[in-house]
Amino acid sequence: MNIHSLSVKELNNKLNKKEISCKEIVESFLSRIEKVEPKVKAFLYTNGDRARKKAEEVDKKISSGAKLKPLEGIPIAIKDNMCTEGMPTTCASKILSDFKPPYSADVINRIEATGMIIIGKTNMDEFAMGSSTENSAYGATRNPWDPERAPGGSSGGSAAAVAADEAPLALGSDTGGSIRQPASFCGVVGLKPTYGRVSRYGLIAFASSLDQIGPITREVYDSALLFQAIAGHDPKDSTSAGLSVPEITDFLKKDIKGLRLGIPREYFNPEMDSEVKNKISEAIKKLTDLGAVVKEISLPHTEYAVSVYYIIATAEASANLARYDGVRYGSRANKAENLFQMYSLTRGEGFGTEVKRRIMLGTYALSAGYYDAYYLKAQKVRTLIKNDFDEAFKACDAIITPTAPTPAFKLGEKSTNPLEMYLSDIFTISVNLAGIPGISIPCGFSKGNLPIGLQILGRPFDEGTILQIAYNFEQATGYHLRKTNI
Amino acid sequence: MSVDKEVIKKIARLANLYYKEDELDTSARELNQILTYVEKLSKLDTGGINPTFQVSPIENIYRDDIVGKSLDLEHVMSNAPEKEGKFFTVPKIID
């Protein structure tokens, strides 16, 4: 029995029945990491000693006769843009290579309060800017289904770690698809919650009006549990929603008979990848068999989403990343003769190519004379995109689309053309602009044995319904059970 | 609308970003490619449409004026690239 391939539910059962110890669980994942990391490179940092210590505490609790809650003692990997007190947090950037945050993100406090064990920090595109994890200053992560291919991004390390059984749970962050697209590429479950559902306190900011933290897991059930653990109001994040979070596992007990699912015609065009198209069609058929009612809908402003996104996200990034000035934290260029040189050399040397490109684009879009034509215009078109969803959700309970236009692409295939890379987010970006929740789950495999993802979108704060649909689909198909050969 | 080397230099100065002379052309080319792509927005009529700067229906949030826990000074200062005691040091600002 490989402990690292057991489901979270099985791990919890075996812990409570004292068939395995928490120490054994942690050791199993640590040795799995040691074995596959040379091939996958999902982690920037592993937390072995602290994880072992935590495991001992959990084992003491079990031997004292206490019963563990479902996620207690379960290891989790954290994307390296979430602040972990006293543990390196680099954002996969050279500029934060030695940074150890003096505080933890709200999600980290919740993770620890629930009793999960942080096993390491995962690789990502620098400052979460990218769709392949190739923009990491510390080298690319590889897709466990085919190490020649990208795991997607920017949460590629978290998705690859979960797919390769290096961690049963992970956290990612999603600004334009950075949880869902890697989940699709790696054949795992990735949930982007509604904007405001999960606190952004301690999440290193990329685009503040779009960023959201969410779970990356092997199964929908785990996604629901982890979402429940991290969601909720946080007074330290002024955009955090004051709403209470319903009991999510209750949704998983329901079937999907009579649920109305919208299929947006703009997401299906004749040029789309035929394997993706076929798998999505099969998935829609399956959902119909399960009792859902499918209807075609329209999201007419879809074609503008990538443009709107790359103006808004870069504008916000240019402001957010102004804080890396080499004064209070982060690296500092040492050959500067004056203050301005210190700033520009520190930033010029510390940031990678893509980060600089986006700061430039954002600065341009916000600069005098261009603000109205780019930034303000984009914010207005964002309203149209949001209105499209509001209108669609009057006639349906959830929306079904592909997560990504293709299965995982090869490393290097798109890294020389920024625009082509941006277009790989075409199906996920609108969701962040509108602030709604979305989930990607595996819905089959290509002929080359690469996973294909199905995206389910819901009304604001209705994560329950999309998890319900995802769970029913998963249990009826079982694609989540297929493992990589890594 | 075409971004040339001079515009790149200006934007780089605004953004406090050092670019080597031989990187300016590439940067201009890439920025132009992206700006050409986003040009499609200008064709859309947005008369009478309000911007959505953020999606949450939240307005101002007020907090009670009470003293909370502050970060540990030593821990905060330990991340500073250069410091003197409890001060950050920077190159001379005024000549």
Side-chain angles (χ1 to χ4, degrees), chain A residues 339-351:
Chain A
L339 191 68
F340 172 74
Q341 260 190 23
M342 187 201 86
Y343 289 152
S344 70
L345 285 173
T346 293
R347 294 160 60 76
E349 291 170 4
F351 291 137

Side-chain angles (χ1 to χ4, degrees), chain A residues 262-307:
Chain A
I263 315 294
R265 73 175 74 99
E266 291 80 5
Y267 283 63
F268 297 86
N269 61 47
E271 304 100 73
M272 81 184 286
D273 183 283
S274 63
E275 289 192 291
V276 172
K277 191 180 169 191
N278 291 341
K279 292 300 166 195
I280 300 297
S281 303
E282 282 173 27
I284 293 170
K285 167 85 173 47
K286 189 67 180 173
L287 290 164
T288 317
D289 293 346
L290 293 169
V293 182
V294 168
K295 58 196 290 183
E296 190 181 88
I297 58 162
S298 176
L299 298 167
H301 296 93
T302 299
E303 64 167 307
Y304 301 103
V306 173
S307 299

Side-chain angles (χ1 to χ4, degrees), chain A residues 16 20 43 69 104 106 127 131 141 172 200 257 261 263 290 293 323 331 334 343 376 384 424 434-435 440 469 477:
Chain A
N16 276 329
I20 49 175
F43 284 87
K69 292 191 286 290
S104 283
D106 181 66
F127 284 100
S131 313
T141 295
R200 292 182 295 108
K257 287 196 182 80
L261 306 180
I263 315 294
L290 293 169
V293 182
R323 73 190 63 177
S331 64
N334 51 22
Y343 289 152
L376 192 62
L384 297 174
S424 68
S440 178
I469 297 163
T477 55

Side-chain angles (χ1 to χ4, degrees), chain A residues 100 332 357 377 379 383, chain B residues 16 30 44 50 52 79 89:
Chain A
K100 278 189 184 168
R332 176 188 290 191
R357 187 182 290 137
K377 182 78 183 182
Q379 296 288 20
T383 304
Chain B
N16 275 340
E30 287 169 350
L44 206 55
N50 287 323
T52 298
N79 280 306
T89 56

Side-chain angles (χ1 to χ4, degrees), chain A residues 100-101 303 307 326-329 332 340 342 344 347 356-357 360 374 377 379 382-383 417 423 433, chain B residues 1 15-16 18-19 30 33 37 40-41 44 46 49-50 52-53 55 75 79-82 88-89 91:
Chain A
K100 278 189 184 168
E303 64 167 307
S307 299
V327 175
R328 292 152 301 156
Y329 46 78
R332 176 188 290 191
F340 172 74
M342 187 201 86
S344 70
R347 294 160 60 76
K356 286 203 266 184
R357 187 182 290 137
M360 291 291 281
Y374 291 106
K377 182 78 183 182
Q379 296 288 20
R382 181 182 191 177
T383 304
N417 185 336
L423 290 171
L433 294 168
Chain B
M1 175 226 54
N16 275 340
Y18 173 76
Y19 270 88
E30 287 169 350
Q33 191 198 9
Y37 178 79
K40 62 165 81 172
L41 293 183
L44 206 55
T46 48
I49 305 291
N50 287 323
T52 298
F53 292 109
V55 290
H75 197 166
N79 280 306
E82 281 179 44
F88 301 113
T89 56

